[in-house]
Amino acid sequence: MAALRAHVVVARVAEKACARLATLSEPDGSEQAAAEAGAIEAVVEALRAHPHVADVQGEGCRALFLICCGFPAGPARSQRAAEAGAIEAVADAMRAHPQVAVVQRWGCWVLAKVCYSRDAAGLARSQRAAEAGAIEKVVDAMRAHPQVNDVQQYGCGALANLCQGTNAAARARSQRAADAGALEEVLVAMRAHPQAMVQWHGCEALLNVCGGGASDAARARRQRLAQAGGRTVVAAAMQAHPDEGEVICGQVQQYGQLVLNALPE
């Protein structure tokens, strides 16, 4: 931490320090100590100091994700990250390095983690991310790296959390995602990556992007999903991952059925 603060303008030091912070934050329970030592703010400063150095951006995003993991204090660390400017820094990283899969992977996962929570603070973080252009950057990442499983999985997870909620702002985020091509990219991911985690987050993303109740816009999104083959893809996911007591397969079944129930016949 001291090295990162003292030599943040040196790219190689910033990269190695972010990587070290990420490693130290991997064990359960270590994330809070890192946050209390100022790691979140230091990593965001490193991201801002080296916007064109992909290695710094990748390691910085990885560190932010790991520091914001865990419960029950994870959401509080996510809020601290948002207040430090992490959402905007990550969106900028993804914008600057669209072809670097590592940056896109960890960028998507930071956004998913920081925006995870249906309380008022979590929804405000989702809105802040949308205003930073995060929705479009996630869709762009998925489109640019169709064969990279982690980008697809984490991209679906990010879209699910960015589009959560039922208020007017959430409905606008769902429409923004649909306008960016999120429905089609999630279906591409689910077709190409049959793994349960992709199917779970894919179904959840489809459900949230198609949310909005009985509004004309929501009905149009559901119709768009149906026309793109959504019913077939979701049904295939549920068939491939039956609920046999595994949590992930149970999530595929739960969200998949909700999507099927929402789609027009």
Side-chain angles (χ1 to χ4, degrees):
M1 183 71 66
L4 182 55
R5 289 197 180 106
H7 305 286
V8 68
V9 297
V10 182
R12 187 64 173 167
V13 173
E15 175 199 344
K16 293 300 183 183
C18 287
R20 180 62 175 161
L21 284 172
T23 299
L24 292 173
S25 300
E26 285 184 319
D28 289 343
S30 61
E31 311 95 341
Q32 188 61 27
E36 291 173 357
I40 291 171
E41 292 79 6
V43 171
V44 172
E45 185 178 358
L47 290 173
R48 288 175 173 154
H50 305 282
H52 302 299
V53 182
D55 288 342
V56 174
Q57 300 298 304
E59 292 295 352
C61 288
R62 182 167 75 100
L64 286 173
F65 166 69
L66 291 168
I67 294 169
C68 291
C69 282
F71 288 97
R77 291 192 294 272
S78 291
Q79 184 61 33
R80 182 167 177 170
E83 292 169 358
I87 290 172
E88 291 79 6
V90 169
D92 287 344
M94 296 176 70
R95 189 175 292 112
H97 303 279
Q99 297 304 318
V100 182
V102 170
V103 174
Q104 301 302 311
R105 169 198 183 190
W106 290 112
C108 285
W109 215 213
V110 172
L111 293 171
K113 181 59 63 177
V114 171
C115 295
Y116 175 76
S117 183
R118 292 183 178 272
D119 62 13
L123 294 175
R125 293 193 296 272
S126 294
Q127 184 60 28
R128 181 168 178 169
E131 291 170 359
I135 290 173
E136 290 80 4
K137 291 305 101 187
V138 170
V139 175
D140 287 347
M142 296 176 68
R143 189 176 289 126
H145 302 278
Q147 300 306 316
V148 181
N149 179 278
D150 285 352
V151 173
Q152 301 303 308
Q153 175 186 325
Y154 301 161
C156 288
L159 288 172
N161 292 347
L162 286 163
C163 296
Q164 66 186 339
T166 58
N167 61 13
R171 293 193 294 273
R173 292 194 298 275
S174 294
Q175 187 60 47
R176 185 166 179 169
D179 291 342
L183 293 171
E184 291 79 6
E185 291 306 318
V186 170
L187 292 180
V188 169
M190 294 176 70
R191 289 186 180 110
H193 301 275
Q195 296 86 352
M197 288 293 287
V198 176
Q199 303 302 308
W200 164 19
H201 292 303
C203 287
E204 187 179 7
L206 294 176
L207 180 66
N208 288 353
V209 173
C210 286
S215 68
D216 290 344
R219 283 196 293 268
R221 292 194 296 273
R222 292 192 284 270
Q223 185 64 39
R224 178 173 174 175
L225 176 59
Q227 292 174 344
R231 183 174 293 278
T232 299
V233 172
V234 171
M238 295 174 68
Q239 183 176 4
H241 302 284
D243 187 357
E244 298 176 342
E246 295 184 12
V247 172
I248 296 173
C249 293
Q251 296 296 315
V252 174
Q253 296 296 315
Q254 175 186 340
Y255 286 109
Q257 191 60 57
L258 289 171
V259 173
L260 292 181
N261 292 346
L263 290 179
E265 295 295 337

